[in-house]
Amino acid sequence: MIDHAHDLEAVREATDRLLEAAGGLDGSALEAPSRLPGWSRGHVLAHVSRNADALVNVLRGRPMYANSETRDAEIERDATRSPAAQLADLRESGDAFLAAAAEPADWSRTVTLRNGVTDQAWRVPFRRWAEVGLHHVDLGLGYGLEDLPEEFVVRENDFLAERFAGHPGVVATTAVTGDGRIWTTGGGAEGAPVTVRGTAAEILGWLCGRRDGSGLTVEGGALPALPPL
């Protein structure tokens, strides 16, 4: 079991970095497009805030979101707020998540996430770390995948490789870094196995859909197209 207290400290640090970056945005900067198609930077920050609320629900045994329509409507509602309102919400919702996660609990219990997905409670802090870290990158403010902590990049690659393992649309794939890290994924589709080589950050960009894989070297076939997260 991963040390959830360690991950909560990482969440706190990632949130502080995001708050510092968001604190420099004015109204026009918030309205500008993010790196996520169809979303402004305001949408990204609203989503991060509402995700904190949703994960509090998960930790307390409530539905993560009432439904997909409500989730989407809340992001749209909050995307156009003033910079001060965005920043206050980001800080307060993040603090509320950290407070809820600091409560004594059985961290080995199973919790239910969006769309009926289940996981163990001890992985929730890392899921929050991923939301904060990757969406900081999505703001397009000069903070890139290479700036994410090495531990996070390796563990998120572990998580995503596991997620796509056996996927019926992905051939058996091995991702390898120059320093010898290896991830295996796919395997549910017919076809020759593929080896993907690159940095851990480039591999993460491909696995999480933030990069097109042009920074990777592929052996044995074409770079597999991964399903959206």
Side-chain angles (χ1 to χ4, degrees), residues 30-119:
L30 283 173
E31 294 171 1
S34 73
R35 290 180 174 175
L36 293 179
W39 270 16
S40 67
R41 289 178 178 140
H43 284 92
V44 172
L45 293 181
H47 167 63
V48 174
S49 295
R50 299 290 68 78
N51 171 263
D53 297 343
L55 290 178
V56 170
N57 288 337
V58 168
L59 290 175
R60 293 185 172 159
R62 301 191 292 257
M64 186 169 180
Y65 296 101
N67 51 58
S68 294
E69 292 75 18
T70 299
R71 169 189 175 274
D72 295 345
E74 289 179 344
I75 293 171
E76 287 294 334
R77 178 197 67 198
D78 296 342
T80 57
R81 295 174 301 176
S82 69
Q86 288 278 19
L87 199 63
D89 189 19
L90 192 64
R91 179 179 295 106
E92 291 165 9
S93 61
D95 286 348
F97 169 77
L98 290 169
E103 296 172 0
D106 174 13
W107 286 96
S108 66
R109 73 190 187 280
T110 298
V111 295
T112 301
L113 299 156
R114 191 181 176 201
N115 299 325
V117 172
T118 59
D119 204 348

Side-chain angles (χ1 to χ4, degrees), residues 113-166:
L113 299 156
R114 191 181 176 201
N115 299 325
V117 172
T118 59
D119 204 348
Q120 290 181 293
W122 56 264
R123 291 181 67 158
V124 171
F126 183 76
R127 284 178 175 271
R128 177 60 182 172
W129 188 6
E131 290 287 331
V132 175
L134 290 176
H135 287 311
H136 188 167
V137 173
D138 293 333
L139 290 176
L141 297 172
Y143 184 84
L145 295 175
E146 285 77 11
D147 298 306
L148 291 164
E150 179 182 10
E151 178 196 355
F152 171 80
V153 173
V154 170
R155 288 176 57 191
E156 182 68 357
N157 282 350
D158 291 343
F159 175 80
L160 293 172
E162 178 185 341
R163 177 169 180 162
F164 296 128

